[in-house]
Amino acid sequence: MELENNQTGQPFLKEYSYDLGVLDRGYTNRTLYINVGSYKIKEKPVTPLMKDKFIGGKGFGLYYLWQAVTESTKWNDPENEIIISSGPVGGITQYPGSGKSLVVTLSPLTNMPIDSNAGGYFGPFLKFAGFDAIELQGKADKDVIIFIDGNKGTISIEEAHGETSDTHILGGQLTEKYADNEEDRRNIAVISTGSGAEHTNIGLLNFTFYDVRRKGIRLKQAGRGGIGTVFRDKHIKAVVIKFAGVKGNLNHPVDQLTLNKTGIKLHKEIHDLDNAQNRMRKIGTANIIEVMDQYDLLPTHNYKFGAHKDTFKIASDVFISKVTQNSPDGCWHGCSMACAKAADHFELKTGPYKGQKVTIDGPEYENAAGLGSNCGIFDPDAILELNFYCDTYGIDTISYATLTAFVMECYENGILNQERTGGLELNFGNTEASLELLHQMSQGVGFGKIAGLGIRKMKAYLAKEFGADPQFLFDIGMEQKGLEFSEYLPKESLAQQGGYGLTNKGPQHDEAWLIFMDMVNNQIPTFEDKAEALHYYPMFRTWFGLNGLCKLPWNDIAPADNKLTDEPAKIPEHVQNYVDIFNAVTGKAIDKHELIRQSERVYNFQRIFNIRMGFGKRVHDKLPYRAMGPVTVEEYVSRQERYDKQLTELLDYDTTGKSTEEKIKVMRDYRESQYEKLTDAVYKRRGWTMDGVPTVEKLRELEMDLPELLEVVEKNM
């Protein structure tokens, strides 16, 4: 029931009470809808169609977003929604990596649905509080805080009262405010962003969890696509949830014994093998920095190069010495991979918090590579400081790093200068200028206001205001579909080019990371082989997002005998683990083939959603050439022996006496044609037309021939 509380003197704009309900087989069978403009709060039933065809997580998010918007809806329209959901497996404590929240909205960068995932406690707490998803719609006329008490069964919309914006302070303040005592702080999870999300298109959402050993909040991010920008545009200051009483059977699974046994098996593998494989418990994803450098895959100077002589200064062992060791750094209960590393007692040197000692979550590989080598910065302390300020300001580290690298190349090519940047000397490697740019972005001032638009809008600005060559900007501007690239250099891996370009949301590696299979191990030599990989891996990884799972325990630890299996790249034992835990929770009887079909349904739905919004066709899958090959003479010369050899062996092209510019053109024609052939093969394998539209036959095969989908498809044939 709804209770008006104005007469009580409470600071509530609206309060709502609900029955706690029963969680069964991974589902609460209802979701929560909140409109922050009208203060409407209601519950919705989870239908059999939702569970059968959309599963949970990002599937539920896409399903609700489709219903909320029209083809003309913009990201900052009130009807745009932010949907947060876990999934039927999310929240179990037996299997590592089971605490993910999946967030879906229309993106300020791409104008399409974007999905992003975050660790922390919010997703599981939301489920245990009684809801499989939360929809946030509308636009408040003042800053509001939403508070869900999952033990009392109450929800309130409250007016914010001058709380700071930046997350490392706000998250702590709200954790303390809503907890009954110190011990109760572990039962609080906060979603918020920061001042940067108010002034840029690349805002992220921070998800907190309380670290009882450090006695403070930790942060995990749903970073991609400007979700935090949408959050602040709706005037939501924070969403806070409280739930006490986490234990191992709250999902009420059908088969608790299988969950326990499967989890114990993986815990043992992590204990026995992690130190020799990837050292996730020592340094997390940053373990691969020097590996990427060794294979010419570390993005350097706006993806021009793949290695640098100074990489040793930011190698994993350097960061191991800076982050706290021997701490159980899991971002959800039961995750023994413990990769959520943190640097404690770090003294900030710049910005509004200069001189303060803080805990910095990270760095992840993406942050070290993006904030570091891609911007020519090889100072580990500078990377940590940039990492901290991106997080607390609510700015996506990947987009920030990639757009800053783009700005730096524009500066070094004379498109930008100190007059145009307001005095910032944005050469590669200028740490001071990079930090100042970030501080400006957080306030929406100076050149930071321009940079905060994102690369796609910056390209238009630079062409219009300064006469920059649009083709050169397209070639070096590492965005696609409006989303900035994540931090891997795909030039020498055609499959990874497809893994970036042939996605639904844009160039984010969480769909398909195929560089080693393709470039290093040569396991997928033909177009058909690559197309098969670009079918299987995006579908398999999509499945994690349907179920509230982290992908890292799948392949960042492998059984000792994995190399002896028929398909070692798939980690078949772990694939079976996921089949087993899904069945154990839900009582269904899927196999590894149905697992892929579950993802195909949602993946094709998302593609059709993009088409409905005016995107999602072949023209939108085109890549900037920097992702495919050498744009400049400098790039070609840096790998001249390799490129000359390729021209000779692959094209029978005689390089003798040819200028570098001539060779670049021949190389470009070849590589662009290879990408087009790959696109044809991938579309064919996915059951799409050569324009990238899912066919009616494919939808029928997947039992996704819903009338509203067929209508969009038939209009675009």
Side-chain angles (χ1 to χ4, degrees):
M1 63 179 175
E2 297 181 1
L3 304 172
E4 298 289 353
N5 284 279
N6 293 334
Q7 73 274 18
T8 68
Q10 300 268 359
F12 296 146
L13 300 169
K14 176 72 74 174
E15 188 176 43
Y16 181 92
S17 296
Y18 66 96
D19 294 330
L20 294 176
V22 177
L23 206 169
D24 183 54
R25 301 185 181 209
Y27 292 99
T28 69
N29 293 306
R30 63 179 172 180
T31 61
L32 175 64
Y33 171 88
I34 299 176
N35 190 306
V36 296
S38 65
Y39 307 142
K40 183 177 183 179
I41 302 173
K42 67 178 181 179
E43 302 166 48
K44 293 183 179 181
V46 171
T47 65
L49 179 143
M50 290 173 66
K51 291 197 283 189
D52 290 344
K53 299 190 184 299
F54 296 92
I55 310 300
K58 74 177 257 186
F60 279 13
L62 290 166
Y63 174 79
Y64 278 134
L65 188 63
W66 175 285
Q67 295 180 346
V69 303
T70 70
E71 60 273 13
S72 61
T73 301
K74 305 303 182 188
W75 71 268
N76 56 352
D77 288 338
E79 60 263 32
N80 187 20
E81 290 190 342
I82 299 171
I83 304 100
I84 305 160
S85 178
S86 175
V89 181
I92 65 171
T93 60
Q94 293 79 15
Y95 201 85
S98 304
K100 286 288 189 177
S101 300
L102 282 298
V103 190
V104 174
T105 194
L106 290 182
S107 164
L109 293 172
T110 71
N111 300 308
M112 300 185 300
I114 190 78
D115 61 271
S116 193
N117 69 80
Y121 290 2
F122 187 91
F125 280 6
L126 179 67
K127 181 193 288 190
F128 301 153
F131 302 104
D132 289 321
I134 180 173
E135 294 175 83
L136 303 172
Q137 194 178 42
K139 191 179 296 192
D141 59 5
K142 63 188 83 174
D143 280 354
V144 298
I145 295 170
I146 297 167
F147 175 53
I148 303 167
D149 190 318
N151 297 109
K152 293 181 179 178
T154 60
I155 301 159
S156 60
I157 303 174
E158 307 173 18
E159 184 176 352
H161 287 290
E163 293 89 352
T164 185
S165 291
D166 294 339
T167 293
H168 77 291
I169 297 176
L170 177 62
Q173 288 176 338
L174 296 180
T175 298
E176 182 175 353
K177 175 181 178 180
Y178 290 101
D180 295 337
N181 49 48
E182 168 67 31
E183 184 177 353
D184 196 37
R185 293 179 186 181
R186 70 175 69 194
N187 304 320
I188 302 292
V190 180
I191 303 175
S192 68
T193 183
S195 55
E198 300 177 27
H199 301 295
T200 72
N201 289 328
I202 60 171
L204 59 75
L205 289 183
N206 284 300
F207 286 62
T208 74
F209 63 102
Y210 189 75
D211 190 322
V212 295
R213 291 166 182 82
R214 290 179 172 89
K215 295 189 181 301
I217 62 161
R218 302 281 305 283
L219 306 179
K220 301 300 288 183
Q221 292 78 30
R224 307 305 333 261
I227 293 171
T229 301
V230 181
F231 193 81
R232 285 304 293 136
D233 181 71
K234 292 184 176 299
H235 292 246
I236 304 173
K237 193 84 167 184
V239 181
V240 185
I241 193 165
K242 178 177 180 177
F243 181 82
V246 173
K247 53 186 179 180
N249 65 351
L250 290 185
N251 265 355
H252 289 162
V254 171
D255 184 355
Q256 186 77 47
L257 180 61
T258 293
L259 275 187
N260 295 344
K261 288 170 60 178
T262 308
I264 289 169
K265 182 171 61 173
L266 185 59
H267 290 313
K268 187 176 188 305
E269 288 175 7
I270 292 172
H271 176 272
D272 294 347
L273 303 172
D274 175 62
N275 200 46
Q277 291 186 6
N278 286 324
R279 302 181 299 166
M280 297 295 284
R281 292 183 296 174
K282 284 188 175 180
I283 191 53
T285 61
N287 73 82
I288 61 172
I289 296 167
E290 58 268 31
V291 178
M292 295 296 102
D293 183 89
Q294 178 185 348
Y295 286 101
D296 198 33
L297 298 170
L298 184 72
T300 306
H301 289 198
N302 194 31
Y303 300 85
K304 281 193 286 188
F305 315 118
H308 196 278
K309 64 181 178 59
D310 289 334
T311 297
F312 73 93
K313 296 179 181 178
I314 60 168
S316 60
D317 283 345
V318 173
F319 286 111
I320 284 174
S321 69
K322 292 182 177 292
V323 303
T324 303
Q325 297 298 317
N326 302 314
S327 179
D329 283 326
C331 64
W332 176 241
H333 299 289
C335 188
S336 54
M337 183 161 277
C339 66
K341 311 313 296 180
D344 291 305
H345 313 298
F346 183 91
E347 185 171 339
L348 298 168
K349 300 176 180 64
T350 69
Y353 307 111
K354 179 180 179 179
Q356 295 185 20
K357 291 186 177 181
V358 296
T359 292
I360 301 172
D361 282 272
E364 303 280 1
Y365 163 76
E366 297 287 336
N367 299 342
L371 302 170
S373 60
N374 208 19
C375 294
I377 293 171
F378 294 91
D379 177 350
D381 286 346
I383 291 169
L384 286 170
E385 182 139 347
L386 286 161
N387 194 156
F388 169 81
Y389 273 116
C390 278
D391 288 350
T392 199
Y393 287 156
I395 289 176
D396 175 19
T397 50
I398 294 175
S399 280
Y400 169 77
T402 300
L403 71 82
T404 301
F406 167 73
V407 165
M408 288 175 165
E409 185 165 1
C410 289
Y411 190 92
E412 295 204 343
N413 277 277
I415 297 169
L416 293 170
N417 53 40
Q418 279 187 270
E419 180 181 355
R420 292 171 176 176
T421 64
L424 296 179
E425 294 185 73
L426 285 162
N427 301 95
F428 286 114
N430 192 330
T431 298
E432 182 180 346
S434 181
L435 279 160
E436 178 56 28
L437 179 65
L438 179 56
H439 297 317
Q440 288 185 9
M441 288 169 68
S442 77
Q443 302 171 61
V445 299
F447 189 72
K449 186 174 182 178
I450 305 302
L453 295 171
I455 291 177
R456 173 165 288 187
K457 290 184 172 68
M458 261 201 293
K459 289 188 299 185
Y461 175 86
L462 296 176
K464 179 181 178 182
E465 296 296 324
F466 306 133
D469 177 8
Q471 184 63 57
F472 180 67
L473 294 176
F474 175 82
D475 286 347
I476 70 166
M478 291 295 280
E479 61 84 14
Q480 193 241 22
K481 298 182 176 74
L483 185 69
E484 284 75 21
F485 274 64
S486 64
E487 308 300 328
Y488 296 95
L489 184 71
K491 279 191 179 81
E492 301 306 312
S493 171
L494 181 60
Q496 186 55 42
Q497 292 166 31
Y500 273 144
L502 305 176
T503 63
N504 282 328
K505 64 184 174 185
Q508 171 69 0
H509 61 282
D510 64 356
E511 274 202 18
W513 190 85
L514 300 173
I515 286 176
F516 266 64
M517 284 185 70
D518 187 37
M519 173 185 163
V520 178
N521 298 327
N522 196 31
Q523 294 170 298
I524 43 177
T526 69
F527 286 113
E528 290 72 22
D529 293 331
K530 290 176 173 59
E532 182 60 38
L534 285 165
H535 170 72
Y536 178 83
Y537 288 99
M539 301 311 142
F540 185 66
R541 289 183 167 209
T542 292
W543 194 82
F544 294 113
L546 304 182
N547 283 281
L549 296 169
C550 173
K551 64 182 173 59
L552 297 181
W554 160 52
N555 65 345
D556 278 275
I557 191 73
D561 62 352
N562 185 63
K563 290 183 179 180
L564 304 178
T565 63
D566 291 339
E567 297 179 295
K570 292 182 178 179
I571 324 288
E573 180 183 307
H574 289 179
V575 174
Q576 188 59 45
N577 285 353
Y578 288 114
V579 169
D580 291 343
I581 63 175
F582 180 84
N583 290 340
V585 171
T586 65
K588 295 186 177 181
I590 71 164
D591 58 16
K592 63 181 182 180
H593 305 294
E594 180 59 22
L595 181 155
I596 298 299
R597 282 173 57 82
Q598 287 181 334
S599 294
E600 278 192 272
R601 294 182 185 108
V602 176
Y603 199 87
N604 280 270
F605 178 81
Q606 187 170 2
R607 183 73 174 192
I608 295 168
F609 201 157
N610 289 352
I611 294 168
R612 179 193 183 204
M613 301 306 294
F615 306 95
K617 293 187 178 181
R618 190 180 189 111
V619 65
H620 305 109
D621 287 345
K622 185 178 180 180
L623 286 174
Y625 186 62
R626 174 60 60 75
M628 303 165 70
V631 174
T632 65
V633 169
E634 179 188 24
E635 280 175 88
Y636 192 99
V637 170
S638 72
R639 303 180 180 89
Q640 181 164 331
E641 183 177 349
R642 176 195 298 171
Y643 291 146
D644 282 356
K645 183 179 179 181
Q646 290 176 0
L647 289 174
T648 301
E649 294 182 353
L650 297 174
L651 299 178
D652 196 26
Y653 178 79
D654 185 1
T655 61
T656 306
K658 301 296 193 301
S659 69
T660 302
E661 289 84 356
E662 288 176 302
K663 291 187 286 188
I664 287 174
K665 183 181 185 306
V666 173
M667 178 67 78
R668 180 170 187 150
D669 289 343
Y670 171 70
R671 293 200 172 190
E672 287 183 334
S673 71
Q674 292 292 102
Y675 183 75
E676 291 302 316
K677 291 176 182 177
L678 176 67
T679 301
D680 288 344
V682 171
Y683 286 176
K684 180 180 178 182
R685 176 62 186 88
R686 291 181 179 176
W688 297 353
T689 71
M690 288 301 102
D691 200 24
V693 180
T695 64
V696 172
E697 292 74 21
K698 184 64 178 180
L699 295 179
R700 287 175 179 157
E701 174 196 325
L702 295 172
E703 300 176 314
M704 284 295 285
D705 50 338
L706 306 175
E708 58 268 38
L709 302 189
L710 293 176
E711 181 182 358
V712 174
V713 165
E714 288 166 355
K715 282 182 181 178
N716 287 276
M717 286 297 187

